[in-house]
Amino acid sequence: MADKMWGVVLTGHGGPEMLEWRDDLAVPVPGQNEVLIEVGAAAVNNTDINTRTAWYSKGDGDAADATWAGAPLELPRIQGIDACGRIIAVGDGVDTGRIGERVLVEPCLVEAAGKPLETPWYFGSECDGGFSQFTKVAARHAHKIDSDLTDIELASFPCSYSTAENMLTRAGVKEGESVLVTGASGGVGSAAVQLASARNANVIAVTSPTKAEDLLKLGAAKTIGRDEEPATALGQSCVDVVVDLVAGPNFPWLLDILRPGGRYAVAGAIGGPIVELDVRTLYLKDLRFFGCTKLEPEVFGNLVKRIERKEIRPLVAETYPLREIAAAQDAFMKKGHVGKIVLEVA
């Protein structure tokens, strides 16, 4: 096996000009309890773009806290939080019988370099990810999957669907409950619609009118427009759970529609991270809030089982070769698609 590989590296915070194609990158060497994966496909994700632009920083783009973990990004970095591929080599402590397994990489890492982590790392942020020919990860985070889906289809699942599954798990969504999903046409939103529907919940999707039919086909029972006030469209105190990926100025409306004892789960703020909260609404309605980033231990394994049982399906909007990552991210940011944009790596 050659000791060099190709891939895309992030050289600094900024625009797509910070993404550089290289064909002289060192092939990772799997260490203790690690596996080496030949990447087949990797998806475009808000996470990778937010890291590149330093959106996570609370210091006006200060690179000192521009990652999920609130720490400086080590550059150059191979990004790519979503990855599907096959194990081609293993490090010490890993059964050689795993070589050849088709795997999905769990994006929230609790082990690296053979040791448990005090705080989670995120694949393609605190360590190199899937935007390259080969990648390595702790064996526990490379989940074997038995599926007839293509690598491109499987690469659409890891980050978005595990984020959605984690939100629904944290909020304890049950059969028969009503769940409102904001940003429902995006990767996490469309995943949440499918996963809540798979729980036999009654799903209300917030989306644009042009995408409403797509969301109904995914399992939503009803859609409302992004500019509609939910309490007007649905009524006050009528929803058990809100799955929010938008935040922004419409945040107070979401609390208005929650029933007393309702649950609000959030894992995104594409509408703006600063919101107005009337604390009286929070405590007088006995609401419960869940900020969702670190995956619960059972979430990714449960997601893989749902994929294998075909309870959910991939939603691939467009594909691009890895070399065209800048164009793929540009298309992603225009938000004209439903589902995921995926990069073909192999």
Side-chain angles (χ1 to χ4, degrees), residues 35-81:
V35 296
L36 180 67
I37 299 168
E38 184 172 17
V39 180
V44 176
N45 201 290
N46 268 319
T47 294
D48 297 305
I49 296 171
N50 290 344
T51 299
R52 168 169 60 77
T53 60
W55 183 88
Y56 293 115
S57 171
K58 295 181 180 179
D60 296 324
D62 186 348
D65 67 341
T67 64
W68 285 31
L73 188 67
E74 293 184 17
L75 297 167
R77 169 66 72 223
I78 299 171
Q79 292 186 283
I81 196 169

Side-chain angles (χ1 to χ4, degrees), residues 13-337:
H13 294 293
E17 72 278 0
M18 295 297 177
L19 298 169
E20 179 183 325
W21 174 270
R22 298 265 300 275
D23 58 11
D24 60 350
L25 300 171
V27 174
V29 177
Q32 181 77 27
N33 297 332
E34 292 182 328
V35 296
L36 180 67
I37 299 168
E38 184 172 17
V39 180
V44 176
N45 201 290
N46 268 319
T47 294
D48 297 305
I49 296 171
N50 290 344
T51 299
R52 168 169 60 77
T53 60
W55 183 88
Y56 293 115
S57 171
K58 295 181 180 179
D60 296 324
D62 186 348
D65 67 341
T67 64
W68 285 31
L73 188 67
E74 293 184 17
L75 297 167
R77 169 66 72 223
I78 299 171
Q79 292 186 283
I81 196 169
D82 283 314
C84 173
R86 289 190 182 275
I87 295 174
I88 61 169
V90 299
D92 291 341
V94 183
D95 185 350
T96 56
R98 294 205 63 184
I99 294 174
E101 281 184 4
R102 198 174 188 207
V103 295
L104 291 180
V105 177
E106 183 176 4
C108 179
L109 311 179
V110 297
E111 179 184 327
K115 298 179 181 179
L117 297 167
E118 290 186 8
T119 57
W121 284 6
Y122 300 95
F123 195 56
S125 177
E126 284 70 34
C127 65
D128 285 341
F131 291 162
S132 58
Q133 189 177 5
F134 304 103
T135 190
K136 70 174 182 177
V137 71
R140 66 182 292 176
H141 294 303
H143 290 250
K144 180 181 178 181
I145 186 161
D146 183 10
S147 172
D148 57 6
L149 296 174
T150 66
D151 285 351
I152 286 174
E153 290 171 322
L154 287 174
S156 70
F157 286 116
C159 187
S160 293
Y161 281 75
S162 65
T163 298
E165 178 72 9
N166 196 46
M167 296 173 81
L168 298 170
T169 299
R170 290 269 189 92
V173 172
K174 298 183 287 292
E175 180 177 354
E177 290 192 311
S178 54
V179 180
L180 181 130
V181 180
T182 68
S185 64
V188 180
S190 58
V193 170
Q194 286 197 67
L195 289 163
S197 180
R199 286 167 163 79
N200 293 315
N202 181 45
V203 183
I204 304 159
V206 182
T207 188
S208 65
T210 59
K211 299 175 182 176
E213 187 63 32
D214 292 321
L215 274 300
L216 293 171
K217 290 177 180 177
L218 285 180
K222 180 182 179 64
T223 67
I224 63 173
R226 291 171 179 163
D227 297 327
E228 290 186 71
E229 185 175 349
T232 301
L234 304 172
Q236 294 274 352
S237 301
C238 64
V239 169
D240 296 296
V241 178
V242 167
V243 171
D244 188 19
L245 304 159
V246 177
N250 293 341
F251 172 82
W253 298 354
L254 302 177
L255 305 193
D256 289 340
I257 64 169
L258 279 170
R259 292 191 174 102
R263 291 97 74 196
Y264 168 88
V266 61
I270 59 174
I274 308 302
V275 300
E276 181 179 308
L277 169 64
D278 187 332
V279 175
R280 293 169 297 185
T281 304
L282 171 60
Y283 75 79
L284 290 174
K285 293 180 76 171
D286 285 305
L287 302 179
R288 283 173 282 171
F289 282 17
F290 299 90
C292 305
T293 295
K294 182 181 178 182
L295 300 184
E296 294 297 318
E298 70 275 20
V299 161
F300 204 81
N302 286 344
L303 174 63
V304 169
K305 291 174 185 176
R306 289 188 186 278
I307 298 168
E308 291 179 333
R309 294 194 298 259
K310 299 186 178 181
E311 294 177 3
I312 52 178
R313 62 184 177 89
L315 196 61
V316 178
E318 297 178 68
T319 61
Y320 290 77
L322 179 60
R323 276 184 181 269
E324 296 179 17
I325 185 172
Q329 289 189 349
D330 179 64
F332 179 89
M333 292 304 294
K334 290 177 179 176
K335 305 299 181 185
H337 60 287

